[in-house]
Amino acid sequence: MKSTLPQNLIALAEKCPYPLYVVGGRVRDFLAGISASAYDNDICAPASAEDFVERAKAAGFNINAVYKNTGTVKLTCGGEDYEFTCFRSDEYVRGEHKPIKTYFTNDIMLDALRRDFKCNAVYYDICGGQFVDPLGGIADIGAKRVTTVADPDKVFGEDGLRLMRLARISAQTGFTPVKACLDGARHNARLIGDVSAERVFSELCLILSADKKYGVEGAQYAGLEILKETGVLARILPELACGENMSQRGDIHKYDVLEHSLRTVLYADESVRLAALLHDIGKPRCMLDNGNYYRHEVVGEGIAKQVCARLKAPRKLTERVAALVRLHMYDLLCDAKENKVRKFIVKNLPLFEELMLLKQADFSACRDDLSPAPAVVKMRGILAKMRAEGVPLTVKELAVRGDELIAAGFPKERISAILEGLLLDCCINHVENGRDKLLKHALTVANKN
């Protein structure tokens, strides 16, 4: 493993009078024979933070932060980020992510027992060139299984964030959690409520892109299934989880509302997976309130906004996801006339590609059908036709500008609406996109009104 480590890290280890270890995901991945484009560089030693900081500085590392209470140091060198921790043992209040008390130690066994899973508790002595395995993590890595470092009820009871980490790490690596591990998570699922929304959302996003970490096919779906099985999904997304066992039309759907949503994520491009997860989130509410799914996309838009706000998702992402939820049912039966589709495309052009990805995933998830979705084929065909005709698709592509309309006598407060109207007339009514033609057309429309 030493040959895979940065030279500056090896040089730092050689300057330390105590063994400096790499621990966690980087060691696990090496032993599992998997590789990623970027690693979390976790290092540790039986040493104080103060002593380590001095030696790291002397070796050319930049110290970014020091947390003396937990013996943690964040540092960088050669473009790599590192996190150092002193060997320690932690005491928790049940469920809280941060320990209430930390005990520093020289005992590697105690340090291993404070971690989450055995596969993450294998150490590599950089100078010694040896793996140190206090808890049998190498066997777990070889068997591609996930077990906790101690009794599962204790491990998950100490830190609610481990509930999300179980799903994420298992999904990313393709490892399988043992039954006792899943049972322990299920028993402590309520503790996810003690974890900050930001941390939950961060882990959820990593689960939604889990297949990209190591190329494990379907990893994003596997991670969501673990959240479902352990009861965590019902805690963080109750609006979605109550779609379990809620049936849909058998001639269209093979799965219930919840399973369909999870499978939409399975088939979705990474860029739209949050929208894929939430696209039918209005269905349970509609069924419970009205006994049907009518206008679930409209109801779902509001619920998606509420969910994203609760999870502290970024504002722009929230707006995009909510819009995709609202639009995903458009022309599902391919019965909209071409002019209406043209208008829809122009009005929603910034979201068009993402919407097509979502509609395709939604179609595939109905019956695991990977053939092109008819609505997507139709809409892409109409857009291609519009481009071949050379019609403007945005206001910026119009041959007339707002200042030219003002100069022609149109009121300033109406310019935006006039430009939008001209754009639609070019796309739908085949008005020629020329400056003089557009000015004349605008005057004609204004005189009619």
Side-chain angles (χ1 to χ4, degrees), residues 17 54 63 70 87 92-93 109 128 160 167 226 230 237 264 275 294 316 340 354 365 383 394 400 413 420 447 449:
E54 292 307 312
I63 307 301
T70 58
F87 278 8
Y92 288 86
V93 169
M109 174 64 79
I226 292 173
T230 57
L237 292 171
T264 303
Y294 179 63
K316 287 185 178 180
K340 286 191 174 182
E354 288 185 327
L383 176 58
T394 66
V400 68
E413 64 272 15
E420 292 291 342
N447 290 333
N449 294 334

Side-chain angles (χ1 to χ4, degrees), residues 224-246:
L224 292 171
E225 280 290 309
I226 292 173
L227 291 182
K228 172 186 168 184
E229 187 176 351
T230 57
V232 175
L233 188 67
R235 301 273 178 174
I236 62 174
L237 292 171
E239 304 91 339
L240 180 70
C242 67
E244 187 172 11
N245 298 321
M246 196 171 277

Side-chain angles (χ1 to χ4, degrees), residues 167-440:
R168 191 251 298 173
I169 292 170
S170 299
Q172 288 177 336
T173 59
F175 289 10
T176 302
V178 300
K179 182 179 183 300
C181 192
L182 292 170
D183 289 344
R186 190 180 300 112
H187 182 253
N188 289 279
R190 67 190 181 281
L191 297 180
I192 197 64
D194 296 328
V195 181
S196 71
E198 291 89 346
R199 295 302 297 269
V200 171
F201 182 66
S202 176
E203 289 289 331
L204 178 61
C205 289
L206 290 172
I207 290 169
L208 291 176
S209 61
D211 59 321
K212 303 302 179 182
K213 181 73 173 179
Y214 304 115
V216 176
E217 187 175 353
Q220 70 277 23
Y221 173 80
L224 292 171
E225 280 290 309
I226 292 173
L227 291 182
K228 172 186 168 184
E229 187 176 351
T230 57
V232 175
L233 188 67
R235 301 273 178 174
I236 62 174
L237 292 171
E239 304 91 339
L240 180 70
C242 67
E244 187 172 11
N245 298 321
M246 196 171 277
S247 62
Q248 306 188 83
R249 281 181 53 178
D251 59 328
I252 297 174
H253 288 277
K254 187 177 178 181
Y255 305 103
D256 66 29
V257 172
L258 176 57
E259 181 62 16
H260 170 74
S261 297
L262 302 189
R263 298 187 85 83
T264 303
V265 175
L266 171 63
Y267 293 117
D269 182 82
E270 183 185 8
S271 63
V272 295
R273 285 181 184 165
L274 182 58
L277 184 65
L278 303 181
H279 80 285
D280 276 349
I281 203 164
K283 279 187 174 180
R285 174 77 59 80
C286 288
M287 179 57 72
L288 294 172
D289 289 350
N290 308 314
N292 57 57
Y293 298 132
Y294 179 63
R295 288 177 64 80
H296 72 271
E297 69 277 17
V298 177
V299 174
E301 177 188 15
I303 297 174
K305 287 180 180 178
Q306 293 169 7
V307 167
C308 289
R310 187 174 72 233
L311 293 175
K312 305 293 178 67
R315 181 180 58 83
K316 287 185 178 180
L317 176 61
T318 297
E319 292 173 355
R320 193 170 82 246
V321 166
L324 289 170
V325 170
R326 182 185 73 249
L327 298 172
H328 82 274
M329 289 289 289
Y330 182 76
D331 201 21
L332 185 70
L333 301 179
C334 295
D335 53 0
K337 293 182 178 179
E338 182 174 326
N339 276 354
K340 286 191 174 182
V341 177
R342 282 174 172 249
K343 183 176 181 179
F344 178 88
I345 290 173
V346 169
K347 283 186 171 293
N348 298 286
L349 190 63
L351 285 170
F352 183 81
E353 286 302 324
E354 288 185 327
L355 182 59
M356 294 303 99
L357 293 171
L358 177 58
K359 287 175 75 66
Q360 179 62 57
D362 187 15
F363 172 82
S364 295
C366 290
R367 305 192 67 83
D368 300 314
D369 185 351
L370 300 182
S371 65
V376 174
V377 172
K378 174 184 173 182
M379 294 180 73
R380 286 196 182 281
I382 291 173
L383 176 58
K385 183 178 178 182
M386 293 167 71
R387 285 177 170 150
E389 292 170 355
V391 300
L393 298 175
T394 66
V395 167
K396 287 183 178 181
E397 294 176 19
L398 287 172
V400 68
R401 302 190 309 272
D403 59 347
E404 292 173 318
L405 290 171
I406 293 171
F410 292 94
K412 288 183 180 180
E413 64 272 15
R414 292 283 300 145
I415 296 303
S416 179
I418 292 169
L419 288 171
E420 292 291 342
L422 290 173
L423 177 62
L424 291 177
D425 281 338
C426 287
C427 294
I428 296 169
N429 299 321
H430 304 289
V431 172
E432 184 180 334
N433 185 28
R435 179 183 175 279
D436 293 340
K437 294 279 187 181
L438 290 178
L439 285 171
K440 182 179 179 181

